[in-house]
Amino acid sequence: MEPQNHNTTQGEHACCHSKAAPAANPQTPAPTDTIYTCPMHPQVRQIGSGNCPICGMALEPVSAVLSDKPDPELVDMTRRFWVAAILSVPLLIKVMGEHFFPWLHEPFGGDAGRYMQLAIATPAVLWAGWPFFVRGWQSIMNRSLNMFTLIGLGVGVAYFYSLAVTLFPDWFRSFTGSPQAPDVYFEAASVITALVLLGQVLELRARSQTNSALRALFDLAPKMARVIKPDGTEADVSVSEVKVGDMLRVRPGEKIPVDGVVTEGSSPVDQSMLTGESMPVEKNPGDKVTGATLNGTGSLIMRAERVGVETMLSQIVAMVANAQRSRAPIQRLADTVSGYFVPIVVLISILTAFGWWLWGPEPKLAYALLNAIAVLIIACPCALGLATPMSIMVGTGRAARAGILIRDATALETFEKVDTLVIDKTGTLTEGKPKLVKVAAAKGFDEANLLRLAASLERGSEHPLAEAIMHGAIEKKLNLSKAKDFQSLSGKGVTGIVEGKKVALGNRMLMRTLGIAPESLEGLAQPLRAQGQTAMLFAIDEQPAGIVVVADPIKETAPEAIRLLKEQGLRILMLTGDNRATAQSVAKKLGIDEIEAEVLPAQKSEVIQALQKKGRKVAMAGDGVNDAPALAAAEVGIAMGNGTDIAMESAGITLIKGDLIGIVRARRLSHNVMHNIRQNLFFAFIYNTLGVPIAAGVLYPFFGVLLSPIIASAAMAFSSVSVIGNSLRLRKANI
């Protein structure tokens, strides 16, 4: 079936989604209806392979598919290059012989020699260079002139002019008034084809190298899993056959097959592939485990919860692949220039031909032809087209290896311009794993009973503070009751009925909402808040009953990360729903000067918007469901990888490890990538700005210097290689 070319942006067609396309299962081949897109113009999508109608490049699968087979386009272009290169050798000998070895030149002279050159050059140009003619013609038909337009014109003019001279030498003799037929330029057409093919091969190899991060991630996925059947027997199956709910055995030294939860056993698990942390983490029943992480010395039984494209590894691969295809805003500059550049070059080439024909020395036709071809070839804007996408592809791959997932190129570019970083406290600056440290009862109330009632109430909540209170009660072996009429008041606390008593746990705003005077409990809470602990007020039957104190330790790397971010010139603002005293204590320990405390979840995005109205470029770092609106409102949202899925969906950058040092590294990477892109654009613009006039012959009147089409094609290939080489330096960037 002939593939349909949609030429749509994401979301404009039923087969195109605004969300990152899921990574294909590493064990399954690409389906025949795979959607393909252009790495440089991702708005182009079609079912099945083909060429981009904008730039002419071969389309790539939208979904990341693991394959041990080499890139078919690379194989094809390599084969064509070697054919063109080998056939170009005798034609080059002809050119060399004309100047240095006349006895070598003689066999190629006269009519017979021209036919010999035609026989050699035809397969080199028409077979090896056929893709250039096809893509050049497509560019004209699609009214989107590109690099292949210039290559097709340049090579085509040289070849078909030489073909005409070979077939009709007498007509050209009479036209020029010379007893000799004009020179033919089969060697120029053939060598230009070989050099352009060489540039394509080098570019395709470089693009293949940029996907090394994806292949490395794919290679982490285990191929087999050991399933425990309902009758107790065990069998090894392909990971692609594992279903949600299956019980799996993970033996010592094996990789965790899919994402799930441990049901039996204990073992240290190496999670360095995700977090970069070299120390294994002890996993016990109830703990989550991630596919592709490495089990240590113990044996585990786990229940599969996420399989196939839903696993963390597949989502990471999909996000990296999507980011590599995304377009940075700076790319619009290159696109705008390219849109005008190619027609202008064609016009300059025509004017060059006429100029040499009218005012050039004899043989005028030869000078006109060669210089016009040189202009077309040297002006090929392939370096300009590669400048941004290559840096983005390499940069996002480098980020993935460092545990930083970039959702799209816009986030990477924008992060460089950010001047204000807003950071949520719980789970971002702190571990997000609070522990119960104290229960203080008011006069007439019992501490153990107060904790039992508070923990019973919190059984209906998924908040980290609720989990800390429940764990504290369980450790004290308290018997918990069932809560009725449970209500969670966002940013305030929780209420309900336990054992017939109306109970409430939360902050001052909650107490005042319920008509309870909090002042009697503030004396107990204030000294503890000053130490950075979270003291919650507890009421029973609308009477102040005491406080429940929970502490969430600051992340070990947080102080160093804050210091480094300040050195990068960022203004740091801590945002928290906690009370001001606790917030000030944490901020003081971290060296943060600005805080916004007692902020309701709905108000977090308002804080972001207020900063933006003042002209600030804001990044927001958070991990919870209540951070999602603020992450979406900020210019760049940064989600902690240990946070919720909705936070990661709302963010432009995800730190897999959940470590604030990751923000420092992401910021450095953003600077490195954008600096690299600017270098590439400079190389491309300067190259074309200088190359076109030289190829047109502006130096000839002063220095007698002309640029042959062969040298022009070599220079064009070198310009692309220089951009590719500069981009590949990002793989070793120190972040």
Side-chain angles (χ1 to χ4, degrees), residues 159-188:
Y159 175 81
F160 288 106
Y161 167 80
S162 301
L163 175 64
V165 171
T166 302
L167 297 178
F168 309 105
D170 292 338
W171 185 88
F172 279 91
R173 290 189 186 102
S174 63
F175 178 76
T176 60
S178 171
Q180 298 293 328
D183 289 336
V184 293
Y185 301 103
F186 288 117
E187 82 285 349

PDB file of all heavy atoms in Angstrom, residues 159-188:
ATOM      1  N   TYR A 159      26.115  16.614 -15.517  1.00  0.00           N
ATOM      2  CA  TYR A 159      26.001  15.338 -16.227  1.00  0.00           C
ATOM      3  C   TYR A 159      25.289  15.499 -17.563  1.00  0.00           C
ATOM      4  O   TYR A 159      25.778  15.050 -18.617  1.00  0.00           O
ATOM      5  CB  TYR A 159      25.264  14.323 -15.354  1.00  0.00           C
ATOM      6  CG  TYR A 159      25.005  13.020 -16.077  1.00  0.00           C
ATOM      7  CD1 TYR A 159      25.999  12.049 -16.190  1.00  0.00           C
ATOM      8  CD2 TYR A 159      23.772  12.778 -16.687  1.00  0.00           C
ATOM      9  CE1 TYR A 159      25.768  10.861 -16.881  1.00  0.00           C
ATOM     10  CE2 TYR A 159      23.528  11.599 -17.369  1.00  0.00           C
ATOM     11  CZ  TYR A 159      24.529  10.647 -17.467  1.00  0.00           C
ATOM     12  OH  TYR A 159      24.307   9.477 -18.152  1.00  0.00           O
ATOM     13  N   PHE A 160      24.120  16.150 -17.572  1.00  0.00           N
ATOM     14  CA  PHE A 160      23.321  16.208 -18.805  1.00  0.00           C
ATOM     15  C   PHE A 160      23.938  17.163 -19.837  1.00  0.00           C
ATOM     16  O   PHE A 160      23.779  16.961 -21.042  1.00  0.00           O
ATOM     17  CB  PHE A 160      21.881  16.588 -18.467  1.00  0.00           C
ATOM     18  CG  PHE A 160      21.129  15.473 -17.787  1.00  0.00           C
ATOM     19  CD1 PHE A 160      20.844  15.526 -16.438  1.00  0.00           C
ATOM     20  CD2 PHE A 160      20.747  14.350 -18.501  1.00  0.00           C
ATOM     21  CE1 PHE A 160      20.174  14.491 -15.807  1.00  0.00           C
ATOM     22  CE2 PHE A 160      20.069  13.302 -17.886  1.00  0.00           C
ATOM     23  CZ  PHE A 160      19.788  13.368 -16.525  1.00  0.00           C
ATOM     24  N   TYR A 161      24.658  18.188 -19.372  1.00  0.00           N
ATOM     25  CA  TYR A 161      25.417  19.010 -20.328  1.00  0.00           C
ATOM     26  C   TYR A 161      26.491  18.147 -20.999  1.00  0.00           C
ATOM     27  O   TYR A 161      26.659  18.179 -22.229  1.00  0.00           O
ATOM     28  CB  TYR A 161      26.055  20.194 -19.610  1.00  0.00           C
ATOM     29  CG  TYR A 161      27.103  20.893 -20.446  1.00  0.00           C
ATOM     30  CD1 TYR A 161      26.744  21.808 -21.438  1.00  0.00           C
ATOM     31  CD2 TYR A 161      28.461  20.636 -20.240  1.00  0.00           C
ATOM     32  CE1 TYR A 161      27.699  22.436 -22.211  1.00  0.00           C
ATOM     33  CE2 TYR A 161      29.420  21.257 -21.015  1.00  0.00           C
ATOM     34  CZ  TYR A 161      29.048  22.154 -21.997  1.00  0.00           C
ATOM     35  OH  TYR A 161      30.001  22.775 -22.759  1.00  0.00           O
ATOM     36  N   SER A 162      27.214  17.369 -20.187  1.00  0.00           N
ATOM     37  CA  SER A 162      28.267  16.500 -20.738  1.00  0.00           C
ATOM     38  C   SER A 162      27.671  15.441 -21.648  1.00  0.00           C
ATOM     39  O   SER A 162      28.260  15.080 -22.694  1.00  0.00           O
ATOM     40  CB  SER A 162      29.048  15.837 -19.595  1.00  0.00           C
ATOM     41  OG  SER A 162      29.628  16.811 -18.755  1.00  0.00           O
ATOM     42  N   LEU A 163      26.500  14.928 -21.298  1.00  0.00           N
ATOM     43  CA  LEU A 163      25.819  13.943 -22.142  1.00  0.00           C
ATOM     44  C   LEU A 163      25.474  14.557 -23.498  1.00  0.00           C
ATOM     45  O   LEU A 163      25.678  13.927 -24.555  1.00  0.00           O
ATOM     46  CB  LEU A 163      24.548  13.459 -21.439  1.00  0.00           C
ATOM     47  CG  LEU A 163      23.646  12.510 -22.235  1.00  0.00           C
ATOM     48  CD1 LEU A 163      24.365  11.201 -22.530  1.00  0.00           C
ATOM     49  CD2 LEU A 163      22.343  12.234 -21.472  1.00  0.00           C
ATOM     50  N   ALA A 164      24.984  15.798 -23.474  1.00  0.00           N
ATOM     51  CA  ALA A 164      24.623  16.470 -24.737  1.00  0.00           C
ATOM     52  C   ALA A 164      25.854  16.687 -25.604  1.00  0.00           C
ATOM     53  O   ALA A 164      25.813  16.487 -26.834  1.00  0.00           O
ATOM     54  CB  ALA A 164      23.938  17.805 -24.423  1.00  0.00           C
ATOM     55  N   VAL A 165      26.970  17.101 -24.993  1.00  0.00           N
ATOM     56  CA  VAL A 165      28.208  17.306 -25.752  1.00  0.00           C
ATOM     57  C   VAL A 165      28.674  15.990 -26.361  1.00  0.00           C
ATOM     58  O   VAL A 165      29.139  15.943 -27.518  1.00  0.00           O
ATOM     59  CB  VAL A 165      29.305  17.916 -24.850  1.00  0.00           C
ATOM     60  CG1 VAL A 165      30.656  17.922 -25.573  1.00  0.00           C
ATOM     61  CG2 VAL A 165      28.925  19.326 -24.431  1.00  0.00           C
ATOM     62  N   THR A 166      28.551  14.902 -25.614  1.00  0.00           N
ATOM     63  CA  THR A 166      28.996  13.589 -26.096  1.00  0.00           C
ATOM     64  C   THR A 166      28.141  13.107 -27.262  1.00  0.00           C
ATOM     65  O   THR A 166      28.662  12.562 -28.248  1.00  0.00           O
ATOM     66  CB  THR A 166      28.941  12.557 -24.949  1.00  0.00           C
ATOM     67  OG1 THR A 166      29.751  13.013 -23.872  1.00  0.00           O
ATOM     68  CG2 THR A 166      29.405  11.189 -25.410  1.00  0.00           C
ATOM     69  N   LEU A 167      26.826  13.322 -27.178  1.00  0.00           N
ATOM     70  CA  LEU A 167      25.926  12.821 -28.210  1.00  0.00           C
ATOM     71  C   LEU A 167      25.874  13.733 -29.433  1.00  0.00           C
ATOM     72  O   LEU A 167      25.672  13.265 -30.558  1.00  0.00           O
ATOM     73  CB  LEU A 167      24.513  12.656 -27.634  1.00  0.00           C
ATOM     74  CG  LEU A 167      24.360  11.627 -26.504  1.00  0.00           C
ATOM     75  CD1 LEU A 167      22.920  11.598 -26.008  1.00  0.00           C
ATOM     76  CD2 LEU A 167      24.792  10.236 -26.964  1.00  0.00           C
ATOM     77  N   PHE A 168      26.070  15.040 -29.210  1.00  0.00           N
ATOM     78  CA  PHE A 168      25.957  15.993 -30.331  1.00  0.00           C
ATOM     79  C   PHE A 168      27.180  16.917 -30.386  1.00  0.00           C
ATOM     80  O   PHE A 168      27.058  18.139 -30.287  1.00  0.00           O
ATOM     81  CB  PHE A 168      24.683  16.837 -30.177  1.00  0.00           C
ATOM     82  CG  PHE A 168      23.446  16.020 -29.952  1.00  0.00           C
ATOM     83  CD1 PHE A 168      22.871  15.953 -28.686  1.00  0.00           C
ATOM     84  CD2 PHE A 168      22.871  15.297 -30.987  1.00  0.00           C
ATOM     85  CE1 PHE A 168      21.733  15.205 -28.470  1.00  0.00           C
ATOM     86  CE2 PHE A 168      21.719  14.543 -30.782  1.00  0.00           C
ATOM     87  CZ  PHE A 168      21.156  14.488 -29.513  1.00  0.00           C
ATOM     88  N   PRO A 169      28.373  16.362 -30.553  1.00  0.00           N
ATOM     89  CA  PRO A 169      29.583  17.203 -30.541  1.00  0.00           C
ATOM     90  C   PRO A 169      29.619  18.204 -31.703  1.00  0.00           C
ATOM     91  O   PRO A 169      30.109  19.325 -31.539  1.00  0.00           O
ATOM     92  CB  PRO A 169      30.723  16.190 -30.639  1.00  0.00           C
ATOM     93  CG  PRO A 169      30.102  14.988 -31.283  1.00  0.00           C
ATOM     94  CD  PRO A 169      28.698  14.945 -30.793  1.00  0.00           C
ATOM     95  N   ASP A 170      29.095  17.814 -32.890  1.00  0.00           N
ATOM     96  CA  ASP A 170      29.155  18.711 -34.042  1.00  0.00           C
ATOM     97  C   ASP A 170      28.322  19.967 -33.807  1.00  0.00           C
ATOM     98  O   ASP A 170      28.720  21.066 -34.223  1.00  0.00           O
ATOM     99  CB  ASP A 170      28.666  17.979 -35.299  1.00  0.00           C
ATOM    100  CG  ASP A 170      29.615  16.869 -35.718  1.00  0.00           C
ATOM    101  OD1 ASP A 170      30.798  16.951 -35.323  1.00  0.00           O
ATOM    102  OD2 ASP A 170      29.170  15.932 -36.396  1.00  0.00           O
ATOM    103  N   TRP A 171      27.182  19.814 -33.178  1.00  0.00           N
ATOM    104  CA  TRP A 171      26.331  20.988 -32.913  1.00  0.00           C
ATOM    105  C   TRP A 171      27.057  21.981 -32.014  1.00  0.00           C
ATOM    106  O   TRP A 171      27.012  23.184 -32.238  1.00  0.00           O
ATOM    107  CB  TRP A 171      25.022  20.543 -32.256  1.00  0.00           C
ATOM    108  CG  TRP A 171      24.054  21.679 -32.061  1.00  0.00           C
ATOM    109  CD1 TRP A 171      23.127  22.116 -32.955  1.00  0.00           C
ATOM    110  CD2 TRP A 171      23.956  22.523 -30.912  1.00  0.00           C
ATOM    111  NE1 TRP A 171      22.439  23.198 -32.439  1.00  0.00           N
ATOM    112  CE2 TRP A 171      22.929  23.459 -31.175  1.00  0.00           C
ATOM    113  CE3 TRP A 171      24.631  22.590 -29.693  1.00  0.00           C
ATOM    114  CZ2 TRP A 171      22.562  24.446 -30.266  1.00  0.00           C
ATOM    115  CZ3 TRP A 171      24.267  23.572 -28.783  1.00  0.00           C
ATOM    116  CH2 TRP A 171      23.241  24.491 -29.070  1.00  0.00           C
ATOM    117  N   PHE A 172      27.758  21.463 -31.000  1.00  0.00           N
ATOM    118  CA  PHE A 172      28.477  22.339 -30.078  1.00  0.00           C
ATOM    119  C   PHE A 172      29.674  22.980 -30.760  1.00  0.00           C
ATOM    120  O   PHE A 172      30.033  24.127 -30.460  1.00  0.00           O
ATOM    121  CB  PHE A 172      28.912  21.553 -28.829  1.00  0.00           C
ATOM    122  CG  PHE A 172      27.815  21.385 -27.821  1.00  0.00           C
ATOM    123  CD1 PHE A 172      26.985  20.274 -27.855  1.00  0.00           C
ATOM    124  CD2 PHE A 172      27.597  22.341 -26.836  1.00  0.00           C
ATOM    125  CE1 PHE A 172      25.973  20.112 -26.936  1.00  0.00           C
ATOM    126  CE2 PHE A 172      26.582  22.183 -25.904  1.00  0.00           C
ATOM    127  CZ  PHE A 172      25.755  21.071 -25.957  1.00  0.00           C
ATOM    128  N   ARG A 173      30.301  22.243 -31.720  1.00  0.00           N
ATOM    129  CA  ARG A 173      31.430  22.827 -32.454  1.00  0.00           C
ATOM    130  C   ARG A 173      30.950  24.022 -33.287  1.00  0.00           C
ATOM    131  O   ARG A 173      31.586  25.072 -33.319  1.00  0.00           O
ATOM    132  CB  ARG A 173      32.079  21.780 -33.353  1.00  0.00           C
ATOM    133  CG  ARG A 173      32.843  20.697 -32.617  1.00  0.00           C
ATOM    134  CD  ARG A 173      33.641  19.831 -33.591  1.00  0.00           C
ATOM    135  NE  ARG A 173      34.267  18.694 -32.910  1.00  0.00           N
ATOM    136  CZ  ARG A 173      33.792  17.456 -32.961  1.00  0.00           C
ATOM    137  NH1 ARG A 173      32.687  17.188 -33.649  1.00  0.00           N
ATOM    138  NH2 ARG A 173      34.408  16.479 -32.314  1.00  0.00           N
ATOM    139  N   SER A 174      29.813  23.828 -33.947  1.00  0.00           N
ATOM    140  CA  SER A 174      29.292  24.923 -34.767  1.00  0.00           C
ATOM    141  C   SER A 174      28.796  26.073 -33.899  1.00  0.00           C
ATOM    142  O   SER A 174      28.909  27.249 -34.283  1.00  0.00           O
ATOM    143  CB  SER A 174      28.150  24.408 -35.655  1.00  0.00           C
ATOM    144  OG  SER A 174      27.076  23.946 -34.854  1.00  0.00           O
ATOM    145  N   PHE A 175      28.270  25.751 -32.712  1.00  0.00           N
ATOM    146  CA  PHE A 175      27.744  26.791 -31.820  1.00  0.00           C
ATOM    147  C   PHE A 175      28.873  27.650 -31.262  1.00  0.00           C
ATOM    148  O   PHE A 175      28.750  28.874 -31.164  1.00  0.00           O
ATOM    149  CB  PHE A 175      26.953  26.135 -30.680  1.00  0.00           C
ATOM    150  CG  PHE A 175      26.406  27.116 -29.689  1.00  0.00           C
ATOM    151  CD1 PHE A 175      25.286  27.894 -29.993  1.00  0.00           C
ATOM    152  CD2 PHE A 175      27.014  27.283 -28.447  1.00  0.00           C
ATOM    153  CE1 PHE A 175      24.796  28.803 -29.082  1.00  0.00           C
ATOM    154  CE2 PHE A 175      26.522  28.197 -27.536  1.00  0.00           C
ATOM    155  CZ  PHE A 175      25.404  28.965 -27.846  1.00  0.00           C
ATOM    156  N   THR A 176      29.977  27.015 -30.915  1.00  0.00           N
ATOM    157  CA  THR A 176      31.102  27.753 -30.326  1.00  0.00           C
ATOM    158  C   THR A 176      32.069  28.273 -31.375  1.00  0.00           C
ATOM    159  O   THR A 176      32.928  29.120 -31.072  1.00  0.00           O
ATOM    160  CB  THR A 176      31.867  26.852 -29.339  1.00  0.00           C
ATOM    161  OG1 THR A 176      32.358  25.704 -30.040  1.00  0.00           O
ATOM    162  CG2 THR A 176      30.971  26.410 -28.193  1.00  0.00           C
ATOM    163  N   GLY A 177      31.967  27.757 -32.606  1.00  0.00           N
ATOM    164  CA  GLY A 177      32.886  28.176 -33.655  1.00  0.00           C
ATOM    165  C   GLY A 177      34.279  27.619 -33.461  1.00  0.00           C
ATOM    166  O   GLY A 177      35.248  28.134 -34.036  1.00  0.00           O
ATOM    167  N   SER A 178      34.408  26.558 -32.687  1.00  0.00           N
ATOM    168  CA  SER A 178      35.715  25.955 -32.407  1.00  0.00           C
ATOM    169  C   SER A 178      35.804  24.605 -33.100  1.00  0.00           C
ATOM    170  O   SER A 178      34.806  23.878 -33.187  1.00  0.00           O
ATOM    171  CB  SER A 178      35.898  25.780 -30.897  1.00  0.00           C
ATOM    172  OG  SER A 178      37.058  25.018 -30.628  1.00  0.00           O
ATOM    173  N   PRO A 179      36.997  24.224 -33.591  1.00  0.00           N
ATOM    174  CA  PRO A 179      37.130  22.900 -34.222  1.00  0.00           C
ATOM    175  C   PRO A 179      37.027  21.764 -33.204  1.00  0.00           C
ATOM    176  O   PRO A 179      36.830  20.605 -33.578  1.00  0.00           O
ATOM    177  CB  PRO A 179      38.521  22.951 -34.855  1.00  0.00           C
ATOM    178  CG  PRO A 179      39.261  23.978 -34.060  1.00  0.00           C
ATOM    179  CD  PRO A 179      38.245  24.992 -33.664  1.00  0.00           C
ATOM    180  N   GLN A 180      37.196  22.106 -31.942  1.00  0.00           N
ATOM    181  CA  GLN A 180      37.131  21.097 -30.890  1.00  0.00           C
ATOM    182  C   GLN A 180      35.784  21.188 -30.173  1.00  0.00           C
ATOM    183  O   GLN A 180      35.250  22.280 -29.955  1.00  0.00           O
ATOM    184  CB  GLN A 180      38.258  21.314 -29.869  1.00  0.00           C
ATOM    185  CG  GLN A 180      39.655  21.201 -30.436  1.00  0.00           C
ATOM    186  CD  GLN A 180      39.966  19.791 -30.882  1.00  0.00           C
ATOM    187  OE1 GLN A 180      39.483  18.819 -30.310  1.00  0.00           O
ATOM    188  NE2 GLN A 180      40.780  19.668 -31.939  1.00  0.00           N
ATOM    189  N   ALA A 181      35.253  20.027 -29.804  1.00  0.00           N
ATOM    190  CA  ALA A 181      34.036  20.006 -28.986  1.00  0.00           C
ATOM    191  C   ALA A 181      34.380  20.515 -27.583  1.00  0.00           C
ATOM    192  O   ALA A 181      35.519  20.347 -27.113  1.00  0.00           O
ATOM    193  CB  ALA A 181      33.467  18.595 -28.904  1.00  0.00           C
ATOM    194  N   PRO A 182      33.436  21.151 -26.912  1.00  0.00           N
ATOM    195  CA  PRO A 182      33.712  21.634 -25.551  1.00  0.00           C
ATOM    196  C   PRO A 182      34.069  20.476 -24.613  1.00  0.00           C
ATOM    197  O   PRO A 182      33.767  19.307 -24.889  1.00  0.00           O
ATOM    198  CB  PRO A 182      32.391  22.287 -25.129  1.00  0.00           C
ATOM    199  CG  PRO A 182      31.666  22.567 -26.390  1.00  0.00           C
ATOM    200  CD  PRO A 182      32.082  21.486 -27.348  1.00  0.00           C
ATOM    201  N   ASP A 183      34.725  20.821 -23.531  1.00  0.00           N
ATOM    202  CA  ASP A 183      35.055  19.812 -22.526  1.00  0.00           C
ATOM    203  C   ASP A 183      33.778  19.266 -21.890  1.00  0.00           C
ATOM    204  O   ASP A 183      32.753  19.954 -21.793  1.00  0.00           O
ATOM    205  CB  ASP A 183      35.930  20.417 -21.424  1.00  0.00           C
ATOM    206  CG  ASP A 183      37.339  20.730 -21.929  1.00  0.00           C
ATOM    207  OD1 ASP A 183      37.760  20.092 -22.909  1.00  0.00           O
ATOM    208  OD2 ASP A 183      37.981  21.618 -21.342  1.00  0.00           O
ATOM    209  N   VAL A 184      33.889  18.016 -21.457  1.00  0.00           N
ATOM    210  CA  VAL A 184      32.781  17.417 -20.694  1.00  0.00           C
ATOM    211  C   VAL A 184      33.185  17.362 -19.223  1.00  0.00           C
ATOM    212  O   VAL A 184      34.380  17.403 -18.884  1.00  0.00           O
ATOM    213  CB  VAL A 184      32.435  16.009 -21.220  1.00  0.00           C
ATOM    214  CG1 VAL A 184      31.849  16.090 -22.611  1.00  0.00           C
ATOM    215  CG2 VAL A 184      33.651  15.096 -21.195  1.00  0.00           C
ATOM    216  N   TYR A 185      32.173  17.255 -18.353  1.00  0.00           N
ATOM    217  CA  TYR A 185      32.434  17.323 -16.904  1.00  0.00           C
ATOM    218  C   TYR A 185      31.817  16.123 -16.183  1.00  0.00           C
ATOM    219  O   TYR A 185      31.220  16.250 -15.109  1.00  0.00           O
ATOM    220  CB  TYR A 185      31.890  18.645 -16.343  1.00  0.00           C
ATOM    221  CG  TYR A 185      32.520  19.835 -17.021  1.00  0.00           C
ATOM    222  CD1 TYR A 185      31.823  20.557 -17.983  1.00  0.00           C
ATOM    223  CD2 TYR A 185      33.839  20.196 -16.741  1.00  0.00           C
ATOM    224  CE1 TYR A 185      32.410  21.620 -18.632  1.00  0.00           C
ATOM    225  CE2 TYR A 185      34.434  21.264 -17.395  1.00  0.00           C
ATOM    226  CZ  TYR A 185      33.718  21.968 -18.335  1.00  0.00           C
ATOM    227  OH  TYR A 185      34.315  23.018 -18.984  1.00  0.00           O
ATOM    228  N   PHE A 186      32.007  14.949 -16.813  1.00  0.00           N
ATOM    229  CA  PHE A 186      31.524  13.731 -16.164  1.00  0.00           C
ATOM    230  C   PHE A 186      32.231  13.499 -14.831  1.00  0.00           C
ATOM    231  O   PHE A 186      31.638  12.994 -13.879  1.00  0.00           O
ATOM    232  CB  PHE A 186      31.738  12.525 -17.084  1.00  0.00           C
ATOM    233  CG  PHE A 186      30.808  12.491 -18.257  1.00  0.00           C
ATOM    234  CD1 PHE A 186      31.306  12.564 -19.554  1.00  0.00           C
ATOM    235  CD2 PHE A 186      29.439  12.385 -18.079  1.00  0.00           C
ATOM    236  CE1 PHE A 186      30.451  12.526 -20.650  1.00  0.00           C
ATOM    237  CE2 PHE A 186      28.579  12.350 -19.168  1.00  0.00           C
ATOM    238  CZ  PHE A 186      29.089  12.422 -20.461  1.00  0.00           C
ATOM    239  N   GLU A 187      33.530  13.853 -14.809  1.00  0.00           N
ATOM    240  CA  GLU A 187      34.268  13.626 -13.555  1.00  0.00           C
ATOM    241  C   GLU A 187      33.714  14.511 -12.441  1.00  0.00           C
ATOM    242  O   GLU A 187      33.635  14.084 -11.278  1.00  0.00           O
ATOM    243  CB  GLU A 187      35.770  13.863 -13.758  1.00  0.00           C
ATOM    244  CG  GLU A 187      36.241  15.315 -13.708  1.00  0.00           C
ATOM    245  CD  GLU A 187      35.896  16.114 -14.959  1.00  0.00           C
ATOM    246  OE1 GLU A 187      35.482  15.488 -15.956  1.00  0.00           O
ATOM    247  OE2 GLU A 187      36.049  17.346 -14.940  1.00  0.00           O
ATOM    248  N   ALA A 188      33.296  15.754 -12.754  1.00  0.00           N
ATOM    249  CA  ALA A 188      32.728  16.633 -11.728  1.00  0.00           C
ATOM    250  C   ALA A 188      31.423  16.046 -11.198  1.00  0.00           C
ATOM    251  O   ALA A 188      31.203  15.983  -9.984  1.00  0.00           O
ATOM    252  CB  ALA A 188      32.490  18.031 -12.293  1.00  0.00           C
TER     253      ALA A 188
END
